[in-house]
Amino acid sequence: MPMLYFGKLLISAIVTSMLCTHQVYAELSSSGFGIFGIVYDSDPSTPSTRLDTEFGLELDLKSTTSQGLEFTASMLFEAVSNSDGTMGGAEGSAGEIEIMYGGFTLYLGNVGDLIYAGNIVDYYGYDIGLTDFAELSTGFNLPVNGFDPSKNDVNVYPIVTVEYTHENFTAGASYIDENEEWQAGLVYTFKGFSVGGVYGITNENSSDRDAFWVVSFGGEIGSFGFALLAANSELQDQLSYGASINYDIGTTTDLSAVYSDNGMDDQQATYAVGFSHSLGGGVSIAGSVGKTIYDYTNADFGVIFDF
């Protein structure tokens, strides 16, 4: 495939550069988050009220050659609560290699494809409350591939993604050998706004080659931010679309809302409103309430801390 051939050429050039390099600078960094709170769900198949806890940790090892070639190896660990109230250990993990030079970036691993990465289109919108049960693309029937700690897959086919940025434009492409899926897209950023689109082909859900596309437009005007999204594929009934907005009240409080219709005749539109208030030191309280695609009421409230 052209994508894999390009990746082999780039890796070959990188190895050649490493063999000619005599000095390397390395640094280790970490970041993460913790979440705990209360979740209400009117779905009769789950507990109506449960405790929700989540933990995520990312480790990054970065090296830069004397020629300016940057290598980053990352490992992401997450433990999340299940809908029945249980929680496993931090078994879900994902590894990624990132290679940067000039405006080019190459990603290798099982973290995310071009849509999931979020550098071309805004697929998820603003955070809503504690658990983000409602997002800009909730229920969309697109083959978006990214790290899911609840699956805890032992063997994952790697995703190859490449991006190139020049001035206000960023172009990218990704390929997954498992289902012969590729995505290609372009985004243009101007005066605090961005408009981008991705087109792809996959056979993930059938033996036929299914086409899909997604476009987004968003930006900020003073304290107000917005994100608009539209998508379609050969696997859904109608056009999918969504809108996400955020309003900053001072420097510590955000109000947010989202509406998402996934284009499936047998499912409902998702909508929610939420807030987040910073307590300082990377700690904030957050909450939200809304409806799911199955017309159940969800609500959450709790604490989020980043480190």
Side-chain angles (χ1 to χ4, degrees):
M1 297 297 294
M3 189 67 181
L4 291 179
Y5 178 69
F6 173 80
K8 291 178 181 178
L9 289 179
L10 185 56
I11 292 173
S12 177
I14 289 167
V15 171
T16 302
S17 174
M18 291 179 65
L19 293 176
C20 298
T21 300
H22 303 287
Q23 190 172 14
V24 176
Y25 306 92
E27 61 182 63
L28 176 65
S29 62
S30 64
S31 61
F33 68 90
I35 295 175
F36 64 91
I38 299 175
V39 172
Y40 169 78
D41 188 348
S42 66
D43 183 349
S45 66
T46 65
S48 60
T49 304
R50 69 176 188 273
L51 293 176
D52 184 85
T53 55
E54 298 182 26
F55 170 76
L57 174 65
E58 181 174 339
L59 301 177
D60 301 303
L61 179 62
K62 180 178 180 181
S63 298
T64 304
T65 70
S66 57
Q67 297 175 337
L69 195 62
E70 297 183 6
F71 295 82
T72 303
S74 301
M75 197 68 184
L76 177 62
F77 303 89
E78 282 193 28
V80 299
S81 295
N82 301 313
S83 60
D84 61 1
T86 63
M87 180 180 181
E91 299 176 349
S93 62
E96 179 189 53
I97 301 295
E98 177 182 324
I99 305 168
M100 297 180 61
Y101 185 78
F104 281 99
T105 305
L106 174 67
Y107 304 92
L108 303 167
N110 63 340
V111 174
D113 56 26
L114 193 64
I115 295 177
Y116 183 91
N119 297 325
I120 304 298
V121 294
D122 185 353
Y123 197 65
Y124 299 101
Y126 292 94
D127 293 338
I128 300 291
L130 186 72
T131 60
D132 292 330
F133 69 85
E135 295 179 315
L136 191 57
S137 56
T138 296
F140 278 28
N141 199 26
L142 269 64
V144 178
N145 296 275
F147 173 53
D148 185 350
S150 64
K151 293 181 179 179
N152 193 28
D153 294 328
V154 177
N155 299 309
V156 179
Y157 282 87
I159 301 172
V160 180
T161 302
V162 61
E163 295 178 357
Y164 176 71
T165 299
H166 178 69
E167 295 182 350
N168 295 339
F169 289 92
T170 297
S174 63
Y175 180 76
I176 307 174
D177 189 55
E178 177 185 16
N179 45 31
E180 297 182 353
E181 175 187 311
W182 62 264
Q183 300 176 8
L186 178 70
V187 62
Y188 175 64
T189 302
F190 59 100
K191 298 181 179 180
F193 300 91
S194 65
V195 56
V198 172
Y199 179 83
I201 298 288
T202 186
N203 62 359
E204 179 180 19
N205 297 306
S206 68
S207 59
D208 299 326
R209 302 291 284 166
D210 298 311
F212 58 93
W213 59 262
V214 56
V215 294
S216 70
F217 173 62
E220 295 183 353
I221 305 173
S223 300
F224 175 77
F226 70 95
L228 305 175
L229 184 73
N232 207 345
S233 74
E234 297 176 2
L235 303 174
Q236 61 192 64
D237 302 313
Q238 303 176 42
L239 179 73
S240 303
Y241 59 91
S244 176
I245 59 174
N246 186 80
Y247 184 75
D248 298 330
I249 301 177
T251 59
T252 60
T253 304
D254 295 335
L255 301 179
S256 53
V258 65
Y259 179 91
S260 177
D261 189 324
N262 66 5
M264 303 300 291
D265 292 337
D266 59 346
Q267 297 177 356
Q268 304 296 315
T270 297
Y271 55 89
V273 294
F275 80 97
S276 175
H277 177 73
S278 174
L279 302 177
V283 179
S284 60
I285 56 174
S288 65
V289 61
K291 287 282 190 177
T292 70
I293 58 176
Y294 301 110
D295 203 29
Y296 297 127
T297 299
N298 270 32
D300 56 39
F301 177 79
V303 176
I304 303 172
F305 60 94
D306 300 306
F307 58 89

